[in-house]
Amino acid sequence: MHKNKKTCFLALVVGILFMITGCWDNRDVTKLNFITALGLDKTPEGSIELTVELPRPSLMGKGQVGGGGQESKEKPITIVSAQGETVLAAARNLLEKLEKPVILSKHELLLVSEELAKSGLMEVLDFFERKPESNMTSQVLIVKGSPIKKIMETESEQEKIPSIHIANCITTNQNRLGSSKESRIIDLLREISNSGQDPLIPTIEISQEKEELKVKDMLISGTAAFRGDRLAGYLTATQTRGWLLAENKAKGSVFTVANPLVKDQKVSFETYRTIGKKEVELIDGQPRLIVQLKVSGSIGESQGGLDLTQPDQLALLQAEIEKTIKEEVESTISTVQEYQTDIFGFGEIMRRKYRSEWQKMKDDWPELFSKASYQIEVETRINRSGYIRQGTKSE
Amino acid sequence: MFSRLKKKFKYWQLMSKANQEKNSPPRKEKIPESTSELKEKLRQVFAECDDFRLREIIVGEKKFKLNIAFVDNLISRQAFNDNLLKPLMDPHLTALLPADNQDKIIAYLKENILNLAEIKEQTDFKESVQNILNGESVIYIEGSSTALVASIKGWEARTVQEPQTETVVRGPREGFVEDLGVNCALIRRKIRNPNLKMELRKIGQKTGTNICLCYLKGIADEELINEVKKRISQINIDAVLESGYLEEMIEDNPFTFFPLIGNSEKPDIVAGKILEGRVAIVCDGTPFALTVPYLFLETLQASEDYYTRSITSSILRILRLVSLFISLLLPGLYVAFLNFHQAALPLNFLLTIAASREGVPFSPFTEALFMGLTFEILQEAGIRMPRPIGQAISIVGALVIGEASVRAGLVSDPMVIVTAITAISTFILPPLQRMLPYFRLIFIILANILGLLGMVLGLIAIITHMCALRSFGVPYLTPFAPSSPLDMKDTLFRFPHWLMFTRPRALTWQETGRAKYRIDLASSIKNKTNLENRKKMKNDLAKNREG
C-alpha cells in the first residue's frame, strides 16, 4: 500500500510536469507575425471586418538592420484588414495578404465597433473564448462613433506600438483619474454569463478630427454600459468614477469642489484610499440599493484662503466634498437605472442575500432595478493638507 | 548498450583478479653474501642503466667490503657524503667495529655509525632493487645476506606552491606537489592526530608507483575503508602516472558523465574531507589527491565556504546552484522559447529578439549548436596551446564569437549573450565543467524536438540517472535523495560551525560530536560557582566585622 502511494505520487508529479509545459508547435519567431491589436467591425452587408495591427520588429528600434543613426521614416506597424462571415473566416482571409502566419497570443487590445456592441458581443467573443492561444487578459474597448480602421491607423509619439499606448492609457486613467475602466476578455466573459452583474467596457472616440490622427487626439475615457452582451448606453468619465468608487476600484483621483468660504474659488481633494461597499435591502418586497463610501485623502490644492487648522472650516470643506462625491455616484446610479443595466452587481448581492426572493425576481430584475430607490452614504476624511497647513497670504 | 559494456568490464575485472591470483607473491630471493656474486647480479639487473652507481668502500681494521648501490640524482649527494661516506670512512669510528659477527656489525653500523634518520634492514634482493629505484641507498655488507637501506632521497622537485586550479581569496594557499612524502606531510600538518592513518601501497607492475591511503580511524566508516582497500588491491595495471588511472580503476560506474570520485590539489580540502569521514588516496607523481566517496553535493561546495561567514557562503552556494541550471539549460531554454513558447515571453522582449533575429539565416537550434561548438573549440585551444600564443586565441575568439559572426548576420545578438552567460556559469563549477557541454547539447536537441516538454523529459532522465548512481555505496544525491534532514546543514545553506553538531550521516555514524554549542555549559557553571564563592566571602567579611 505504501509503495503504491509513492508510485502514485511520482506519477502525479511527472504528469504535472508534462502539463505545465503548455501547448507547443515548432515555429521560428522570425517566421511569425504577432498581432498586437485587433479591431472588429460590421460591414453594412453584415459580414465581419477584422483589422489587425502587426508590429515590424526590424523597425522597432535597436535592430541591426537600420545600422546607422537616422530614424527610419517607415511606420513600425502595419495595419491589415480582411472580411469574412465569422472572425475566424476573416482571419483566414487575412492570411492571403500576409507573408507570414499570424499568432494571436500577444494581442493587448481588442477594439469592437459600436454596431457590433449593439448587436451583441458574443457574436465575436466566442472566437476568443474558443481559441486556446488567444490572450484572455487583453483589454476590450468600444469604439464610439468612428470606423475602427481610423482608430487603429493612428500613430503614437510616445510608443512604437499605438495599441500599447492606448492600453496603458486606460490603466492610468482608471488608477489615477478614475475616468476609465479596464475590461479584460476573461472578466468580460464572466460578467456576460452572470445574470446578477452587467459588464462595463471602456470607450474610445476621436475628440479632434485631423488629417493625421495621433493617440493624443483621442478621448480615452468614459465607458459603455451593457445589458448582457448588448450595448445599453454610455457613461461619462465622472459617471465612470462613480462606478469605480462604489466598486472599490478607485485607487486615486482628484475631486475639485467649490471653496466653502470664498466664492468662485476651488479646492482640489486628492484621494488615495477609498473603501466602497454595496448593499441591497428588501423593504416590503422592493429592493433598496445602498452604497457606502469611505474616502480619505489630502488637500492637493486650495484657491482662496482656507485655514485647515480650524475644525469648523475643515468640517465645511468635508461636507462640500461629501456632497460632490454623493452627487457623482447618484448620477451614475440614476443613469444606469435609465439604461436598465445593473453594472454594479446589485443583483449578484441579492442572489446571495435573498436567495428565494431572487429566484422570483431574476427575470424582471432590470425592471425592478431601474425602479429601485437608492441611498448613498459618504464619509470623508481629510488626512493631510499637503506640505503646509495654510497657504502664503499677501499682506 | 551500457549493460553489455558493463558485463564486459566485469569480465575484465574477473580476469584480472584471476591473473592476480596466478601471480601470487613472488618468492623471496636471498642477497648473495659474496661481493663478486652480488656485483654480478646487480650488473645483470641494472645492465645498460648508466645512472646506476655502485660504490665499493673498505671499512675498519678488518677491511670489510661494503657496496653502496644507488641511482644517481635520486639521492642527495650532500647527505650521501656527510651522513654515509664520512662516518663509514672515519677510522676513529670504525675502529671499534666488532669483527666476529656479521649481525653485530650490522647492528653497530645502524646504532653507532650511520647518522641517518631512517635506516632499515633488507633481506630480499628484489626488494632491495626496488629500494634503489625508490631513491634509497642500499648498503650491501660482505658476508651477510642482510643489507641496510638508508633513506637519503633527494631529487629535483617542485616546491609547495599555490595551486593553479583551486584558487581562493581566503584560505591556505599551499597546494600538493608531485612528491608523495611531501603531500602526506601536508595532510599530516593539518590533522595532528595519531588516528590519521596513512597506509602506503605500491601499484603498477612497471612503474611501481607509491600511493597512500589516508583516513581518520574512528571517524571513517570501517566498511568504507575495507571497500577502498579491497578495490585498490584488485587493481592490476602496469602503469600509474596520475591519480586519474586509479580513479578509473576503482569507480563504481565507469559509464557516467558524473564525477564519482573527487579530486583536489589542496591539502586543506583533502583534510576537510578526511575529517568528514572520507578516505583520501594520494598518489605519487601528481598533485591531485582523490577522495571517496564523492557526492553530487560536493560539486557545489568550495573550501572557502567554510572560511568565510556562513551567510555569505550560503548565498554563494545558491548562486552556484543557479549557475548550474543556467549553464545546463539556458541554450535549451532559448531554443524552446523561441521555437515553441513565444506566447510565454513578454511582448517587448519578443519583439526585441525578433528584431535581432531578422535576417539571420539559421534557426535558433543551428545557432546554438554552432556557438556551443565554437566555444568548446576555443576553450580546448585555450588550455592546450603554448602560453606565448595565448594572445592570438583570445583575439580570434573574441572576434569570431563576439563581433564577426553577428556582423555577418550568421548569429543573432541574443545567442551571443546566451553563449557568454552559459560559458561563464560553467566555470563556477569546476568539477562539472567537463560534463556540462554534453548535457547542454542533449537539452538543445530535446528543446528543438519537443520544446519545454522535451527539456522536462531530459531533466527527469538525468535526475533518475543521478538517483541510481552510487559512490562507494553511498547514494550520489545524498542528502537530498535519500533525504537526510540532519545533513541538510551543509547543503544549500552552510550552517555556522557551532551548529554543525554531526558529521555527514551518509558517510559515517561514528563519533558524531563535531562542535559544541556556542554557549559553553562548563564555563557558565564555573561562573555560577564564582558567584557563590563571592557571596560566601561577603558573608564571612560581615561576620568578621561583627566579631
Side-chain angles (χ1 to χ4, degrees):
Chain A
M1 192 62 213
H2 184 66
K3 205 177 172 186
N4 244 347
K5 224 166 147 187
K6 250 184 179 172
T7 324
C8 281
F9 179 73
L10 201 70
L12 193 75
V13 168
V14 172
I16 287 170
L17 277 175
F18 276 111
M19 276 181 267
I20 55 170
T21 57
C23 49
W24 60 278
D25 193 5
N26 193 344
R27 296 170 299 189
D28 196 343
V29 232
T30 47
K31 298 193 176 79
L32 289 173
N33 263 323
F34 297 98
I35 296 176
T36 47
L38 292 134
L40 293 166
D41 205 346
K42 215 167 191 182
T43 58
E45 297 86 54
S47 59
I48 283 166
E49 188 181 38
L50 172 72
T51 313
V52 294
E53 180 190 70
L54 304 168
R56 295 163 70 186
S58 54
L59 297 172
M60 287 302 294
K62 268 212 72 184
Q64 72 262 47
V65 181
Q70 84 223 49
E71 272 283 305
S72 170
K73 282 265 164 61
E74 280 183 276
K75 270 191 187 177
I77 53 157
T78 337
I79 305 291
V80 190
S81 57
Q83 293 182 1
E85 296 290 309
T86 60
V87 181
L88 184 62
R92 277 293 139 93
N93 290 339
L94 196 70
L95 290 178
E96 284 176 2
K97 305 172 185 177
L98 296 172
E99 174 212 1
K100 299 181 268 188
V102 291
I103 181 164
L104 200 62
S105 51
K106 283 283 141 195
H107 62 100
E108 296 287 322
L109 212 57
L110 176 62
L111 297 164
V112 183
S113 73
E114 211 170 356
E115 288 78 50
L116 261 176
K118 272 176 188 155
S119 63
L121 274 182
M122 279 321 290
E123 206 175 298
V124 290
L125 280 184
D126 180 80
F127 170 74
F128 297 93
E129 198 176 12
R130 210 173 284 280
K131 190 104 179 145
E133 62 170 38
S134 94
N135 180 11
M136 294 298 266
T137 57
S138 152
Q139 295 200 17
V140 186
L141 261 178
I142 302 294
V143 176
K144 219 163 139 185
S146 40
I148 293 268
K149 231 176 154 184
K150 210 165 177 183
I151 302 273
M152 291 196 64
E153 270 167 359
T154 54
E155 277 174 42
S156 164
E157 285 159 335
Q158 292 150 39
E159 275 280 349
K160 286 257 158 59
I161 305 172
S163 63
I164 290 185
H165 185 169
I166 296 172
N168 288 346
C169 268
I170 297 169
T171 313
T172 324
N173 288 355
Q174 176 185 315
N175 294 342
R176 300 271 159 185
L177 287 159
S179 64
S180 194
K181 184 234 165 193
E182 280 180 356
S183 179
R184 308 200 176 269
I185 296 182
I186 189 150
D187 298 329
L188 188 59
L189 289 170
R190 204 190 54 231
E191 282 163 5
I192 288 173
S193 68
N194 189 345
S195 61
Q197 182 161 20
D198 286 314
L200 191 66
I201 302 172
T203 57
I204 184 168
E205 61 185 309
I206 295 168
S207 59
Q208 250 182 318
E209 281 293 349
K210 263 189 193 170
E211 190 73 8
E212 261 192 28
L213 273 172
K214 297 268 158 86
V215 176
K216 62 181 179 186
D217 300 322
M218 286 189 281
L219 193 67
I220 311 173
S221 65
T223 42
F226 277 66
R227 194 184 311 121
D229 67 336
R230 270 161 219 273
L231 178 69
Y234 293 107
L235 295 185
T236 63
T238 38
Q239 285 168 339
T240 306
R241 181 160 67 177
W243 179 86
L244 286 171
L245 286 169
E247 201 65 13
N248 208 359
K249 276 182 180 157
K251 283 184 183 156
S253 62
V254 175
F255 294 89
T256 305
V257 300
N259 189 329
L261 296 179
V262 192
K263 220 182 162 191
D264 291 337
Q265 299 283 16
K266 302 281 183 188
V267 175
S268 274
F269 176 63
E270 202 182 336
T271 63
Y272 49 75
R273 197 160 158 218
T274 331
I275 299 166
K277 232 177 171 181
K278 296 170 296 179
E279 199 52 65
V280 185
E281 265 171 28
L282 269 186
I283 299 164
D284 304 330
Q286 292 301 311
R288 185 173 169 77
L289 318 174
I290 301 163
V291 175
Q292 288 168 321
L293 296 175
K294 275 182 190 166
V295 185
S296 47
S298 65
I299 300 301
E301 192 179 342
S302 155
Q303 296 173 340
L306 194 62
D307 190 357
L308 294 174
T309 52
Q310 302 296 318
D312 52 335
Q313 290 191 17
L314 199 66
L316 270 175
L317 184 63
Q318 219 157 321
E320 193 69 37
I321 293 165
E322 271 164 26
K323 205 182 96 196
T324 313
I325 294 176
K326 199 172 170 181
E327 275 169 4
E328 236 179 74
V329 181
E330 263 174 13
S331 133
T332 314
I333 295 185
S334 61
T335 313
V336 294
Q337 276 187 335
E338 225 171 87
Y339 296 151
Q340 297 198 347
T341 68
D342 181 9
I343 53 168
F344 288 95
F346 285 117
E348 179 64 22
I349 299 167
M350 279 285 295
R351 187 182 67 81
R352 281 185 221 153
K353 205 168 165 186
Y354 305 103
R355 214 176 151 67
S356 51
E357 286 91 336
W358 172 248
Q359 292 302 328
K360 283 175 242 154
M361 284 177 168
K362 212 162 86 179
D363 296 328
D364 345 302
W365 178 246
E367 190 85 4
L368 280 165
F369 169 75
S370 68
K371 283 178 189 145
S373 59
Y374 52 83
Q375 174 191 337
I376 296 150
E377 293 158 24
V378 185
E379 199 188 312
T380 324
R381 262 180 72 98
I382 299 173
N383 284 0
R384 278 163 231 168
S385 61
Y387 210 51
I388 49 171
R389 275 180 295 186
Q390 226 174 337
T392 312
K393 276 180 197 157
S394 62
E395 292 289 324
Chain B
M1 187 187 79
F2 278 164
S3 61
R4 266 179 80 182
L5 276 171
K6 232 177 186 173
K7 259 185 195 166
K8 210 152 205 188
F9 182 70
K10 258 188 187 158
Y11 168 74
W12 288 335
Q13 272 191 331
L14 285 173
M15 277 292 283
S16 66
K17 206 175 168 187
N19 277 340
Q20 209 178 31
E21 273 159 14
K22 231 184 260 170
N23 319 337
S24 49
R27 271 195 298 148
K28 265 186 150 186
E29 206 173 322
K30 261 188 152 186
I31 293 173
E33 292 185 5
S34 90
T35 313
S36 54
E37 205 180 316
L38 174 86
K39 275 187 176 170
E40 183 53 37
K41 238 179 165 176
L42 281 173
R43 208 164 291 140
Q44 263 179 25
V45 173
F46 289 104
E48 286 134 41
C49 291
D50 292 343
D51 55 347
F52 173 71
R53 301 275 185 276
L54 192 62
R55 178 86 162 80
E56 189 180 309
I57 53 171
I58 291 165
V59 177
E61 289 173 346
K62 295 277 153 130
K63 311 275 184 222
F64 268 118
K65 263 190 196 161
L66 295 186
N67 279 300
I68 309 177
F70 60 94
V71 176
D72 201 12
N73 290 329
L74 281 188
I75 57 141
S76 151
R77 284 265 170 126
Q78 175 92 35
F80 188 78
N81 293 345
D82 289 354
N83 304 355
L84 234 149
L85 284 187
K86 211 172 175 186
L88 283 175
M89 296 175 93
D90 188 340
H92 297 291
L93 284 171
T94 50
L96 293 167
L97 211 60
D100 45 347
N101 195 327
Q102 305 293 16
D103 288 343
K104 272 187 186 168
I105 293 171
I106 288 167
Y108 191 79
L109 280 175
K110 242 169 87 180
E111 285 158 13
N112 297 39
I113 294 182
L114 296 173
N115 49 347
L116 281 163
E118 191 188 337
I119 194 153
K120 60 191 178 212
E121 286 175 27
Q122 182 62 269
T123 50
D124 184 21
F125 179 72
K126 276 203 171 150
E127 284 288 311
S128 76
V129 168
Q130 206 56 52
N131 286 339
I132 295 169
L133 291 170
N134 272 350
E136 284 154 327
S137 307
V138 180
I139 309 164
Y140 296 103
I141 297 143
E142 195 188 21
S144 165
S145 62
T146 306
L148 283 174
V149 179
S151 181
I152 42 169
K153 293 175 196 174
W155 52 74
E156 289 308 313
R158 203 163 58 97
T159 51
V160 174
Q161 284 167 331
E162 186 174 359
Q164 294 202 332
T165 53
E166 289 155 295
T167 45
V168 288
V169 176
R170 180 168 178 181
R173 301 204 188 282
E174 59 189 9
F176 286 133
V177 293
E178 283 76 8
D179 186 68
L180 180 69
V182 176
N183 291 351
C184 289
L186 283 172
I187 297 174
R188 178 71 76 182
R189 270 179 31 88
K190 301 272 174 208
I191 308 168
R192 289 151 209 207
N193 192 322
N195 282 339
L196 176 64
K197 304 298 180 196
M198 297 211 167
E199 288 186 27
L200 277 173
R201 296 287 162 96
K202 195 162 282 212
I203 307 271
Q205 289 134 6
K206 294 277 183 289
T207 56
T209 312
N210 285 320
I211 63 163
C212 180
L213 301 182
C214 308
Y215 54 88
L216 257 181
K217 210 172 175 82
I219 284 178
D221 194 12
E222 284 297 327
E223 264 176 54
L224 172 70
I225 298 169
N226 291 338
E227 180 67 26
V228 175
K229 282 184 188 168
K230 199 181 104 197
R231 288 193 195 184
I232 282 190
S233 66
Q234 281 172 354
I235 294 176
N236 197 353
I237 191 172
D238 65 338
V240 173
L241 294 179
E242 215 268 349
S243 48
Y245 286 57
L246 297 175
E247 197 176 323
E248 271 189 16
M249 299 297 279
I250 60 172
E251 73 188 340
D252 293 52
N253 186 350
F255 304 110
T256 179
F257 279 111
F258 289 94
L260 291 179
I261 288 176
N263 63 66
S264 175
E265 218 184 328
K266 296 195 68 192
D268 57 320
I269 294 175
V270 173
K273 304 229 154 145
I274 290 173
L275 284 168
E276 277 186 337
R278 290 188 174 85
V279 177
I281 303 161
V282 191
C283 178
D284 196 22
T286 174
F288 287 94
L290 306 177
T291 51
V292 291
Y294 188 75
L295 307 179
F296 181 70
L297 175 69
E298 285 172 69
T299 59
L300 299 174
Q301 294 172 332
S303 66
E304 225 167 325
D305 290 352
Y306 302 95
Y307 307 148
T308 48
R309 299 183 62 81
S310 76
I311 295 173
T312 50
S313 44
S314 302
I315 293 166
L316 286 177
R317 286 235 173 123
I318 293 164
L319 186 76
R320 271 176 229 139
L321 188 74
V322 169
S323 61
L324 168 68
F325 278 107
I326 288 178
S327 85
L328 197 64
L329 302 176
L330 191 63
L333 284 176
Y334 178 78
V335 171
F337 273 104
L338 253 59
N339 276 357
F340 291 89
H341 313 284
Q342 298 97 350
L345 298 173
L347 180 66
N348 281 337
F349 185 57
L350 198 58
L351 289 175
T352 314
I353 286 185
S356 56
R357 283 203 39 78
E358 200 106 335
V360 174
F362 303 116
S363 68
F365 173 65
T366 327
E367 251 187 323
L369 283 189
F370 171 69
M371 289 305 278
L373 183 69
T374 317
F375 175 72
E376 289 311 315
I377 291 171
L378 273 174
Q379 192 192 345
E380 189 61 18
I383 298 170
R384 299 287 155 245
M385 75 193 165
R387 283 286 137 78
I389 55 169
Q391 290 268 316
I393 288 278
S394 51
I395 291 168
V396 169
L399 281 178
V400 168
I401 287 198
E403 274 297 308
S405 48
V406 173
R407 198 53 81 68
L410 291 176
V411 173
S412 63
D413 286 313
M415 192 62 233
V416 176
I417 298 169
V418 165
T419 310
I421 296 174
T422 311
I424 292 168
S425 311
T426 313
F427 294 128
I428 292 189
L429 304 148
L432 301 177
Q433 202 184 321
R434 285 290 151 132
M435 59 156 256
L436 281 173
Y438 308 107
F439 283 114
R440 211 180 293 147
L441 180 69
I442 292 169
F443 276 115
I444 292 172
I445 293 169
L446 284 173
N448 194 46
I449 299 169
L450 289 167
L452 277 184
L453 176 67
M455 298 191 69
V456 167
L457 279 176
L459 265 183
I460 292 174
I462 287 177
I463 291 174
T464 314
H465 171 64
M466 284 168 81
C467 286
L469 287 177
R470 299 278 185 281
S471 175
F472 281 79
V474 181
Y476 197 45
L477 281 181
T478 20
F480 304 113
S483 78
S484 162
L486 250 176
D487 288 353
M488 288 292 178
K489 64 192 181 303
D490 193 15
T491 53
L492 288 185
F493 298 94
R494 204 274 286 169
F495 279 33
H497 288 299
W498 45 266
L499 269 177
M500 293 214 205
F501 299 118
T502 56
R503 275 165 223 292
R505 290 288 161 109
L507 303 174
T508 173
W509 281 90
Q510 313 193 4
E511 203 192 317
T512 49
R514 206 173 179 193
K516 268 197 186 133
Y517 192 67
R518 204 150 64 157
I519 300 164
D520 195 353
L521 269 175
S523 70
S524 67
I525 290 166
K526 219 175 172 183
N527 284 343
K528 206 174 162 192
T529 48
N530 275 353
L531 214 74
E532 276 167 6
N533 284 348
R534 211 174 289 163
K535 255 186 198 166
K536 217 175 172 185
M537 266 163 66
K538 241 184 184 171
N539 287 342
D540 288 347
L541 274 174
K543 264 181 198 169
N544 282 349
R545 237 176 256 156
E546 274 169 20

